[in-house]
PDB file of all heavy atoms in Angstrom:
ATOM      1  N   VAL N   1     111.902 147.010  79.904  1.00 59.00           N
ATOM      2  CA  VAL N   1     112.917 147.888  80.491  1.00 59.00           C
ATOM      3  C   VAL N   1     114.166 147.803  79.625  1.00 59.00           C
ATOM      4  O   VAL N   1     114.719 146.734  79.418  1.00 59.00           O
ATOM      5  CB  VAL N   1     113.249 147.462  81.942  1.00 59.00           C
ATOM      6  CG1 VAL N   1     114.342 148.332  82.518  1.00 59.00           C
ATOM      7  CG2 VAL N   1     111.995 147.495  82.778  1.00 59.00           C
ATOM      8  N   VAL N   2     114.563 148.938  79.138  1.00 59.00           N
ATOM      9  CA  VAL N   2     115.775 148.993  78.319  1.00 59.00           C
ATOM     10  C   VAL N   2     116.905 149.495  79.197  1.00 59.00           C
ATOM     11  O   VAL N   2     116.843 150.589  79.743  1.00 59.00           O
ATOM     12  CB  VAL N   2     115.584 149.940  77.111  1.00 59.00           C
ATOM     13  CG1 VAL N   2     116.859 150.033  76.305  1.00 59.00           C
ATOM     14  CG2 VAL N   2     114.425 149.490  76.274  1.00 59.00           C
ATOM     15  N   ARG N   3     117.916 148.649  79.337  1.00 62.00           N
ATOM     16  CA  ARG N   3     119.064 149.039  80.167  1.00 62.00           C
ATOM     17  C   ARG N   3     120.124 149.682  79.285  1.00 62.00           C
ATOM     18  O   ARG N   3     120.412 149.196  78.208  1.00 62.00           O
ATOM     19  CB  ARG N   3     119.649 147.810  80.861  1.00 62.00           C
ATOM     20  CG  ARG N   3     118.644 147.160  81.791  1.00 62.00           C
ATOM     21  CD  ARG N   3     119.225 145.969  82.443  1.00 62.00           C
ATOM     22  NE  ARG N   3     120.229 146.398  83.396  1.00 62.00           N
ATOM     23  CZ  ARG N   3     120.967 145.585  84.127  1.00 62.00           C
ATOM     24  NH1 ARG N   3     120.847 144.293  83.988  1.00 62.00           N
ATOM     25  NH2 ARG N   3     121.845 146.050  84.966  1.00 62.00           N
ATOM     26  N   LYS N   4     120.633 150.777  79.775  1.00 63.00           N
ATOM     27  CA  LYS N   4     121.701 151.447  79.044  1.00 63.00           C
ATOM     28  C   LYS N   4     122.970 150.623  79.154  1.00 63.00           C
ATOM     29  O   LYS N   4     123.262 150.072  80.216  1.00 63.00           O
ATOM     30  CB  LYS N   4     121.968 152.826  79.640  1.00 63.00           C
ATOM     31  CG  LYS N   4     120.927 153.848  79.327  1.00 63.00           C
ATOM     32  CD  LYS N   4     121.375 155.178  79.867  1.00 63.00           C
ATOM     33  CE  LYS N   4     120.376 156.261  79.547  1.00 63.00           C
ATOM     34  NZ  LYS N   4     120.768 157.549  80.094  1.00 63.00           N
ATOM     35  N   PRO N   5     123.707 150.539  78.081  1.00 61.00           N
ATOM     36  CA  PRO N   5     124.981 149.824  78.187  1.00 61.00           C
ATOM     37  C   PRO N   5     125.943 150.590  79.095  1.00 61.00           C
ATOM     38  O   PRO N   5     125.961 151.813  79.111  1.00 61.00           O
ATOM     39  CB  PRO N   5     125.500 149.796  76.746  1.00 61.00           C
ATOM     40  CG  PRO N   5     124.772 150.875  76.039  1.00 61.00           C
ATOM     41  CD  PRO N   5     123.469 151.060  76.761  1.00 61.00           C
ATOM     42  N   THR N   6     126.696 149.840  79.857  1.00 69.00           N
ATOM     43  CA  THR N   6     127.645 150.465  80.764  1.00 69.00           C
ATOM     44  C   THR N   6     128.787 151.062  79.952  1.00 69.00           C
ATOM     45  O   THR N   6     129.308 150.432  79.051  1.00 69.00           O
ATOM     46  CB  THR N   6     128.219 149.406  81.730  1.00 69.00           C
ATOM     47  OG1 THR N   6     127.135 148.715  82.332  1.00 69.00           O
ATOM     48  CG2 THR N   6     129.061 150.027  82.805  1.00 69.00           C
ATOM     49  N   SER N   7     129.140 152.269  80.300  1.00 84.00           N
ATOM     50  CA  SER N   7     130.211 152.905  79.547  1.00 84.00           C
ATOM     51  C   SER N   7     131.547 152.250  79.882  1.00 84.00           C
ATOM     52  O   SER N   7     131.725 151.639  80.937  1.00 84.00           O
ATOM     53  CB  SER N   7     130.275 154.399  79.876  1.00 84.00           C
ATOM     54  OG  SER N   7     130.772 154.587  81.180  1.00 84.00           O
ATOM     55  N   ARG N   8     132.487 152.388  78.966  1.00 85.00           N
ATOM     56  CA  ARG N   8     133.808 151.790  79.176  1.00 85.00           C
ATOM     57  C   ARG N   8     134.501 152.412  80.373  1.00 85.00           C
ATOM     58  O   ARG N   8     135.196 151.730  81.117  1.00 85.00           O
ATOM     59  CB  ARG N   8     134.658 151.975  77.916  1.00 85.00           C
ATOM     60  CG  ARG N   8     134.148 151.155  76.761  1.00 85.00           C
ATOM     61  CD  ARG N   8     135.065 151.189  75.555  1.00 85.00           C
ATOM     62  NE  ARG N   8     136.018 152.263  75.516  1.00 85.00           N
ATOM     63  CZ  ARG N   8     136.030 153.239  74.615  1.00 85.00           C
ATOM     64  NH1 ARG N   8     135.129 153.267  73.684  1.00 85.00           N
ATOM     65  NH2 ARG N   8     136.941 154.171  74.639  1.00 85.00           N
ATOM     66  N   LEU N   9     134.292 153.715  80.586  1.00 87.00           N
ATOM     67  CA  LEU N   9     134.898 154.379  81.732  1.00 87.00           C
ATOM     68  C   LEU N   9     134.343 153.823  83.034  1.00 87.00           C
ATOM     69  O   LEU N   9     135.095 153.543  83.970  1.00 87.00           O
ATOM     70  CB  LEU N   9     134.666 155.894  81.660  1.00 87.00           C
ATOM     71  CG  LEU N   9     135.182 156.699  82.853  1.00 87.00           C
ATOM     72  CD1 LEU N   9     136.691 156.544  83.000  1.00 87.00           C
ATOM     73  CD2 LEU N   9     134.807 158.159  82.719  1.00 87.00           C
ATOM     74  N   LYS N  10     133.021 153.613  83.066  1.00 89.00           N
ATOM     75  CA  LYS N  10     132.406 153.050  84.277  1.00 89.00           C
ATOM     76  C   LYS N  10     132.947 151.655  84.558  1.00 89.00           C
ATOM     77  O   LYS N  10     133.248 151.316  85.707  1.00 89.00           O
ATOM     78  CB  LYS N  10     130.886 152.976  84.121  1.00 89.00           C
ATOM     79  CG  LYS N  10     130.140 154.090  84.755  1.00 89.00           C
ATOM     80  CD  LYS N  10     128.661 153.783  84.678  1.00 89.00           C
ATOM     81  CE  LYS N  10     127.859 154.911  85.277  1.00 89.00           C
ATOM     82  NZ  LYS N  10     126.440 154.699  85.115  1.00 89.00           N
ATOM     83  N   ARG N  11     133.063 150.838  83.522  1.00 89.00           N
ATOM     84  CA  ARG N  11     133.597 149.483  83.698  1.00 89.00           C
ATOM     85  C   ARG N  11     135.029 149.528  84.215  1.00 89.00           C
ATOM     86  O   ARG N  11     135.403 148.794  85.117  1.00 89.00           O
ATOM     87  CB  ARG N  11     133.541 148.703  82.387  1.00 89.00           C
ATOM     88  CG  ARG N  11     132.176 148.139  82.066  1.00 89.00           C
ATOM     89  CD  ARG N  11     132.247 147.060  80.986  1.00 89.00           C
ATOM     90  NE  ARG N  11     132.986 147.455  79.795  1.00 89.00           N
ATOM     91  CZ  ARG N  11     132.445 147.987  78.708  1.00 89.00           C
ATOM     92  NH1 ARG N  11     131.146 148.186  78.651  1.00 89.00           N
ATOM     93  NH2 ARG N  11     133.194 148.300  77.669  1.00 89.00           N
ATOM     94  N   PHE N  12     135.826 150.403  83.636  1.00 89.00           N
ATOM     95  CA  PHE N  12     137.224 150.520  84.055  1.00 89.00           C
ATOM     96  C   PHE N  12     137.317 150.955  85.509  1.00 89.00           C
ATOM     97  O   PHE N  12     138.058 150.371  86.301  1.00 89.00           O
ATOM     98  CB  PHE N  12     137.967 151.518  83.156  1.00 89.00           C
ATOM     99  CG  PHE N  12     139.342 151.837  83.652  1.00 89.00           C
ATOM    100  CD1 PHE N  12     140.375 150.922  83.503  1.00 89.00           C
ATOM    101  CD2 PHE N  12     139.603 153.046  84.275  1.00 89.00           C
ATOM    102  CE1 PHE N  12     141.649 151.210  83.970  1.00 89.00           C
ATOM    103  CE2 PHE N  12     140.864 153.337  84.746  1.00 89.00           C
ATOM    104  CZ  PHE N  12     141.896 152.422  84.593  1.00 89.00           C
ATOM    105  N   LEU N  13     136.554 151.999  85.882  1.00 91.00           N
ATOM    106  CA  LEU N  13     136.589 152.496  87.254  1.00 91.00           C
ATOM    107  C   LEU N  13     136.073 151.450  88.233  1.00 91.00           C
ATOM    108  O   LEU N  13     136.585 151.316  89.351  1.00 91.00           O
ATOM    109  CB  LEU N  13     135.797 153.796  87.377  1.00 91.00           C
ATOM    110  CG  LEU N  13     136.416 155.005  86.668  1.00 91.00           C
ATOM    111  CD1 LEU N  13     135.499 156.206  86.778  1.00 91.00           C
ATOM    112  CD2 LEU N  13     137.789 155.317  87.229  1.00 91.00           C
ATOM    113  N   SER N  14     135.059 150.694  87.817  1.00 93.00           N
ATOM    114  CA  SER N  14     134.521 149.634  88.668  1.00 93.00           C
ATOM    115  C   SER N  14     135.573 148.556  88.910  1.00 93.00           C
ATOM    116  O   SER N  14     135.804 148.138  90.045  1.00 93.00           O
ATOM    117  CB  SER N  14     133.285 149.045  88.001  1.00 93.00           C
ATOM    118  OG  SER N  14     132.813 147.938  88.716  1.00 93.00           O
ATOM    119  N   ARG N  15     136.236 148.117  87.825  1.00 93.00           N
ATOM    120  CA  ARG N  15     137.279 147.094  87.971  1.00 93.00           C
ATOM    121  C   ARG N  15     138.441 147.615  88.805  1.00 93.00           C
ATOM    122  O   ARG N  15     139.007 146.886  89.621  1.00 93.00           O
ATOM    123  CB  ARG N  15     137.785 146.659  86.596  1.00 93.00           C
ATOM    124  CG  ARG N  15     136.774 145.853  85.830  1.00 93.00           C
ATOM    125  CD  ARG N  15     137.280 145.517  84.453  1.00 93.00           C
ATOM    126  NE  ARG N  15     136.257 144.853  83.659  1.00 93.00           N
ATOM    127  CZ  ARG N  15     136.295 144.728  82.362  1.00 93.00           C
ATOM    128  NH1 ARG N  15     137.310 145.226  81.683  1.00 93.00           N
ATOM    129  NH2 ARG N  15     135.340 144.113  81.721  1.00 93.00           N
ATOM    130  N   LEU N  16     138.798 148.869  88.589  1.00 93.00           N
ATOM    131  CA  LEU N  16     139.890 149.474  89.358  1.00 93.00           C
ATOM    132  C   LEU N  16     139.540 149.514  90.843  1.00 93.00           C
ATOM    133  O   LEU N  16     140.370 149.172  91.697  1.00 93.00           O
ATOM    134  CB  LEU N  16     140.172 150.886  88.831  1.00 93.00           C
ATOM    135  CG  LEU N  16     141.282 151.653  89.523  1.00 93.00           C
ATOM    136  CD1 LEU N  16     142.630 150.976  89.280  1.00 93.00           C
ATOM    137  CD2 LEU N  16     141.320 153.089  89.043  1.00 93.00           C
ATOM    138  N   THR N  17     138.315 149.903  91.163  1.00 95.00           N
ATOM    139  CA  THR N  17     137.881 149.962  92.555  1.00 95.00           C
ATOM    140  C   THR N  17     137.918 148.580  93.197  1.00 95.00           C
ATOM    141  O   THR N  17     138.431 148.421  94.313  1.00 95.00           O
ATOM    142  CB  THR N  17     136.451 150.545  92.647  1.00 95.00           C
ATOM    143  OG1 THR N  17     136.438 151.827  92.012  1.00 95.00           O
ATOM    144  CG2 THR N  17     136.005 150.680  94.082  1.00 95.00           C
ATOM    145  N   TYR N  18     137.394 147.573  92.491  1.00 96.00           N
ATOM    146  CA  TYR N  18     137.429 146.206  93.028  1.00 96.00           C
ATOM    147  C   TYR N  18     138.860 145.733  93.233  1.00 96.00           C
ATOM    148  O   TYR N  18     139.185 145.100  94.243  1.00 96.00           O
ATOM    149  CB  TYR N  18     136.684 145.233  92.106  1.00 96.00           C
ATOM    150  CG  TYR N  18     135.194 145.421  92.101  1.00 96.00           C
ATOM    151  CD1 TYR N  18     134.474 145.359  90.916  1.00 96.00           C
ATOM    152  CD2 TYR N  18     134.493 145.673  93.272  1.00 96.00           C
ATOM    153  CE1 TYR N  18     133.099 145.540  90.893  1.00 96.00           C
ATOM    154  CE2 TYR N  18     133.119 145.856  93.255  1.00 96.00           C
ATOM    155  CZ  TYR N  18     132.433 145.792  92.070  1.00 96.00           C
ATOM    156  OH  TYR N  18     131.081 145.971  92.055  1.00 96.00           O
ATOM    157  N   GLY N  19     139.722 146.033  92.285  1.00 95.00           N
ATOM    158  CA  GLY N  19     141.128 145.633  92.398  1.00 95.00           C
ATOM    159  C   GLY N  19     141.803 146.268  93.590  1.00 95.00           C
ATOM    160  O   GLY N  19     142.529 145.606  94.344  1.00 95.00           O
ATOM    161  N   VAL N  20     141.562 147.563  93.799  1.00 94.00           N
ATOM    162  CA  VAL N  20     142.158 148.271  94.943  1.00 94.00           C
ATOM    163  C   VAL N  20     141.619 147.708  96.255  1.00 94.00           C
ATOM    164  O   VAL N  20     142.378 147.485  97.213  1.00 94.00           O
ATOM    165  CB  VAL N  20     141.897 149.786  94.837  1.00 94.00           C
ATOM    166  CG1 VAL N  20     142.245 150.498  96.135  1.00 94.00           C
ATOM    167  CG2 VAL N  20     142.684 150.376  93.677  1.00 94.00           C
ATOM    168  N   ILE N  21     140.321 147.435  96.312  1.00 97.00           N
ATOM    169  CA  ILE N  21     139.729 146.874  97.536  1.00 97.00           C
ATOM    170  C   ILE N  21     140.327 145.505  97.842  1.00 97.00           C
ATOM    171  O   ILE N  21     140.694 145.226  98.990  1.00 97.00           O
ATOM    172  CB  ILE N  21     138.183 146.799  97.403  1.00 97.00           C
ATOM    173  CG1 ILE N  21     137.583 148.205  97.440  1.00 97.00           C
ATOM    174  CG2 ILE N  21     137.584 145.936  98.503  1.00 97.00           C
ATOM    175  CD1 ILE N  21     136.118 148.262  97.102  1.00 97.00           C
ATOM    176  N   ILE N  22     140.462 144.653  96.823  1.00 97.00           N
ATOM    177  CA  ILE N  22     141.058 143.321  97.039  1.00 97.00           C
ATOM    178  C   ILE N  22     142.499 143.445  97.512  1.00 97.00           C
ATOM    179  O   ILE N  22     142.927 142.755  98.442  1.00 97.00           O
ATOM    180  CB  ILE N  22     140.952 142.477  95.747  1.00 97.00           C
ATOM    181  CG1 ILE N  22     139.492 142.091  95.511  1.00 97.00           C
ATOM    182  CG2 ILE N  22     141.825 141.234  95.824  1.00 97.00           C
ATOM    183  CD1 ILE N  22     139.221 141.481  94.155  1.00 97.00           C
ATOM    184  N   MET N  23     143.273 144.366  96.890  1.00 96.00           N
ATOM    185  CA  MET N  23     144.664 144.556  97.308  1.00 96.00           C
ATOM    186  C   MET N  23     144.747 145.056  98.746  1.00 96.00           C
ATOM    187  O   MET N  23     145.616 144.628  99.515  1.00 96.00           O
ATOM    188  CB  MET N  23     145.374 145.523  96.368  1.00 96.00           C
ATOM    189  CG  MET N  23     145.695 144.904  95.016  1.00 96.00           C
ATOM    190  SD  MET N  23     146.319 146.063  93.782  1.00 96.00           S
ATOM    191  CE  MET N  23     147.634 146.871  94.631  1.00 96.00           C
ATOM    192  N   LEU N  24     143.834 145.938  99.138  1.00 96.00           N
ATOM    193  CA  LEU N  24     143.822 146.447 100.515  1.00 96.00           C
ATOM    194  C   LEU N  24     143.491 145.338 101.510  1.00 96.00           C
ATOM    195  O   LEU N  24     144.092 145.239 102.582  1.00 96.00           O
ATOM    196  CB  LEU N  24     142.830 147.607 100.649  1.00 96.00           C
ATOM    197  CG  LEU N  24     143.261 148.928 100.012  1.00 96.00           C
ATOM    198  CD1 LEU N  24     142.131 149.939 100.093  1.00 96.00           C
ATOM    199  CD2 LEU N  24     144.514 149.472 100.682  1.00 96.00           C
ATOM    200  N   ILE N  25     142.534 144.491 101.157  1.00 97.00           N
ATOM    201  CA  ILE N  25     142.149 143.384 102.040  1.00 97.00           C
ATOM    202  C   ILE N  25     143.314 142.411 102.197  1.00 97.00           C
ATOM    203  O   ILE N  25     143.651 141.994 103.317  1.00 97.00           O
ATOM    204  CB  ILE N  25     140.883 142.676 101.513  1.00 97.00           C
ATOM    205  CG1 ILE N  25     139.666 143.597 101.662  1.00 97.00           C
ATOM    206  CG2 ILE N  25     140.655 141.357 102.238  1.00 97.00           C
ATOM    207  CD1 ILE N  25     138.422 143.091 100.962  1.00 97.00           C
ATOM    208  N   VAL N  26     143.946 142.034 101.075  1.00 96.00           N
ATOM    209  CA  VAL N  26     145.085 141.103 101.133  1.00 96.00           C
ATOM    210  C   VAL N  26     146.240 141.731 101.915  1.00 96.00           C
ATOM    211  O   VAL N  26     146.872 141.071 102.754  1.00 96.00           O
ATOM    212  CB  VAL N  26     145.532 140.708  99.705  1.00 96.00           C
ATOM    213  CG1 VAL N  26     146.854 139.963  99.722  1.00 96.00           C
ATOM    214  CG2 VAL N  26     144.456 139.863  99.038  1.00 96.00           C
ATOM    215  N   GLY N  27     146.507 143.016 101.659  1.00 94.00           N
ATOM    216  CA  GLY N  27     147.581 143.706 102.384  1.00 94.00           C
ATOM    217  C   GLY N  27     147.313 143.776 103.874  1.00 94.00           C
ATOM    218  O   GLY N  27     148.211 143.550 104.696  1.00 94.00           O
ATOM    219  N   ALA N  28     146.069 144.069 104.248  1.00 95.00           N
ATOM    220  CA  ALA N  28     145.705 144.131 105.667  1.00 95.00           C
ATOM    221  C   ALA N  28     145.828 142.759 106.321  1.00 95.00           C
ATOM    222  O   ALA N  28     146.335 142.640 107.447  1.00 95.00           O
ATOM    223  CB  ALA N  28     144.288 144.677 105.821  1.00 95.00           C
ATOM    224  N   ALA N  29     145.398 141.713 105.624  1.00 95.00           N
ATOM    225  CA  ALA N  29     145.520 140.356 106.163  1.00 95.00           C
ATOM    226  C   ALA N  29     146.991 139.987 106.354  1.00 95.00           C
ATOM    227  O   ALA N  29     147.380 139.429 107.392  1.00 95.00           O
ATOM    228  CB  ALA N  29     144.836 139.346 105.235  1.00 95.00           C
ATOM    229  N   PHE N  30     147.818 140.298 105.369  1.00 92.00           N
ATOM    230  CA  PHE N  30     149.259 140.031 105.465  1.00 92.00           C
ATOM    231  C   PHE N  30     149.853 140.771 106.655  1.00 92.00           C
ATOM    232  O   PHE N  30     150.631 140.208 107.434  1.00 92.00           O
ATOM    233  CB  PHE N  30     149.951 140.467 104.168  1.00 92.00           C
ATOM    234  CG  PHE N  30     151.444 140.387 104.219  1.00 92.00           C
ATOM    235  CD1 PHE N  30     152.099 139.181 104.056  1.00 92.00           C
ATOM    236  CD2 PHE N  30     152.205 141.532 104.439  1.00 92.00           C
ATOM    237  CE1 PHE N  30     153.478 139.100 104.101  1.00 92.00           C
ATOM    238  CE2 PHE N  30     153.580 141.460 104.488  1.00 92.00           C
ATOM    239  CZ  PHE N  30     154.223 140.246 104.316  1.00 92.00           C
ATOM    240  N   LEU N  31     149.501 142.036 106.822  1.00 92.00           N
ATOM    241  CA  LEU N  31     150.027 142.849 107.920  1.00 92.00           C
ATOM    242  C   LEU N  31     149.600 142.296 109.283  1.00 92.00           C
ATOM    243  O   LEU N  31     150.414 142.204 110.211  1.00 92.00           O
ATOM    244  CB  LEU N  31     149.549 144.291 107.755  1.00 92.00           C
ATOM    245  CG  LEU N  31     150.140 145.312 108.717  1.00 92.00           C
ATOM    246  CD1 LEU N  31     151.650 145.407 108.533  1.00 92.00           C
ATOM    247  CD2 LEU N  31     149.498 146.665 108.503  1.00 92.00           C
ATOM    248  N   ILE N  32     148.348 141.900 109.399  1.00 95.00           N
ATOM    249  CA  ILE N  32     147.854 141.347 110.668  1.00 95.00           C
ATOM    250  C   ILE N  32     148.571 140.046 111.009  1.00 95.00           C
ATOM    251  O   ILE N  32     149.040 139.852 112.136  1.00 95.00           O
ATOM    252  CB  ILE N  32     146.322 141.141 110.607  1.00 95.00           C
ATOM    253  CG1 ILE N  32     145.614 142.502 110.588  1.00 95.00           C
ATOM    254  CG2 ILE N  32     145.834 140.306 111.784  1.00 95.00           C
ATOM    255  CD1 ILE N  32     144.137 142.430 110.269  1.00 95.00           C
ATOM    256  N   VAL N  33     148.695 139.147 110.030  1.00 94.00           N
ATOM    257  CA  VAL N  33     149.393 137.869 110.259  1.00 94.00           C
ATOM    258  C   VAL N  33     150.843 138.120 110.635  1.00 94.00           C
ATOM    259  O   VAL N  33     151.384 137.502 111.562  1.00 94.00           O
ATOM    260  CB  VAL N  33     149.280 136.961 109.003  1.00 94.00           C
ATOM    261  CG1 VAL N  33     150.211 135.774 109.105  1.00 94.00           C
ATOM    262  CG2 VAL N  33     147.842 136.502 108.813  1.00 94.00           C
ATOM    263  N   GLN N  34     151.502 139.055 109.944  1.00 90.00           N
ATOM    264  CA  GLN N  34     152.906 139.352 110.231  1.00 90.00           C
ATOM    265  C   GLN N  34     153.069 139.943 111.626  1.00 90.00           C
ATOM    266  O   GLN N  34     153.996 139.581 112.355  1.00 90.00           O
ATOM    267  CB  GLN N  34     153.469 140.310 109.166  1.00 90.00           C
ATOM    268  CG  GLN N  34     154.887 140.775 109.404  1.00 90.00           C
ATOM    269  CD  GLN N  34     155.902 139.651 109.432  1.00 90.00           C
ATOM    270  OE1 GLN N  34     155.688 138.574 108.902  1.00 90.00           O
ATOM    271  NE2 GLN N  34     157.029 139.909 110.078  1.00 90.00           N
ATOM    272  N   GLU N  35     152.194 140.844 112.010  1.00 92.00           N
ATOM    273  CA  GLU N  35     152.298 141.474 113.334  1.00 92.00           C
ATOM    274  C   GLU N  35     152.008 140.496 114.467  1.00 92.00           C
ATOM    275  O   GLU N  35     152.610 140.569 115.531  1.00 92.00           O
ATOM    276  CB  GLU N  35     151.346 142.679 113.419  1.00 92.00           C
ATOM    277  CG  GLU N  35     151.806 143.880 112.632  1.00 92.00           C
ATOM    278  CD  GLU N  35     153.130 144.434 113.116  1.00 92.00           C
ATOM    279  OE1 GLU N  35     153.331 144.557 114.343  1.00 92.00           O
ATOM    280  OE2 GLU N  35     153.980 144.723 112.258  1.00 92.00           O
ATOM    281  N   LEU N  36     151.097 139.547 114.248  1.00 93.00           N
ATOM    282  CA  LEU N  36     150.738 138.601 115.311  1.00 93.00           C
ATOM    283  C   LEU N  36     151.692 137.414 115.397  1.00 93.00           C
ATOM    284  O   LEU N  36     152.089 137.012 116.501  1.00 93.00           O
ATOM    285  CB  LEU N  36     149.304 138.094 115.094  1.00 93.00           C
ATOM    286  CG  LEU N  36     148.188 139.139 115.248  1.00 93.00           C
ATOM    287  CD1 LEU N  36     146.837 138.512 114.928  1.00 93.00           C
ATOM    288  CD2 LEU N  36     148.180 139.711 116.658  1.00 93.00           C
ATOM    289  N   PHE N  37     152.086 136.845 114.246  1.00 92.00           N
ATOM    290  CA  PHE N  37     152.827 135.580 114.267  1.00 92.00           C
ATOM    291  C   PHE N  37     154.244 135.667 113.694  1.00 92.00           C
ATOM    292  O   PHE N  37     155.011 134.716 113.832  1.00 92.00           O
ATOM    293  CB  PHE N  37     152.034 134.499 113.499  1.00 92.00           C
ATOM    294  CG  PHE N  37     150.630 134.342 113.996  1.00 92.00           C
ATOM    295  CD1 PHE N  37     149.550 134.748 113.215  1.00 92.00           C
ATOM    296  CD2 PHE N  37     150.369 133.813 115.258  1.00 92.00           C
ATOM    297  CE1 PHE N  37     148.241 134.608 113.667  1.00 92.00           C
ATOM    298  CE2 PHE N  37     149.063 133.672 115.711  1.00 92.00           C
ATOM    299  CZ  PHE N  37     148.000 134.074 114.919  1.00 92.00           C
ATOM    300  N   HIS N  38     154.594 136.727 113.003  1.00 90.00           N
ATOM    301  CA  HIS N  38     155.923 136.948 112.399  1.00 90.00           C
ATOM    302  C   HIS N  38     156.406 135.800 111.514  1.00 90.00           C
ATOM    303  O   HIS N  38     157.573 135.405 111.609  1.00 90.00           O
ATOM    304  CB  HIS N  38     156.959 137.219 113.505  1.00 90.00           C
ATOM    305  CG  HIS N  38     156.608 138.371 114.368  1.00 90.00           C
ATOM    306  ND1 HIS N  38     156.749 139.672 113.959  1.00 90.00           N
ATOM    307  CD2 HIS N  38     156.084 138.418 115.635  1.00 90.00           C
ATOM    308  CE1 HIS N  38     156.345 140.481 114.933  1.00 90.00           C
ATOM    309  NE2 HIS N  38     155.933 139.751 115.954  1.00 90.00           N
TER     310      HIS N  38
END
């Protein structure tokens, strides 16, 4: 099985998506903690 190399655009978009998801999770956790415990 020959795997095609991942394009640079795909890698960039993948990293960007992961980064945005992590930022959203951290932001949501911060917001929940702030709203519950201040």
Side-chain angles (χ1 to χ4, degrees):
V1 177
V2 178
R3 298 180 70 182
K4 286 185 178 178
T6 308
S7 71
R8 291 187 342 245
L9 176 61
K10 261 187 182 175
R11 280 196 309 267
F12 171 75
L13 291 176
S14 174
R15 289 177 186 163
L16 180 66
T17 304
Y18 290 138
V20 168
I21 289 171
I22 289 169
M23 286 172 52
L24 287 174
I25 291 170
V26 169
F30 173 79
L31 187 62
I32 290 169
V33 169
Q34 176 61 22
E35 287 298 316
L36 293 177
F37 306 110
H38 303 284

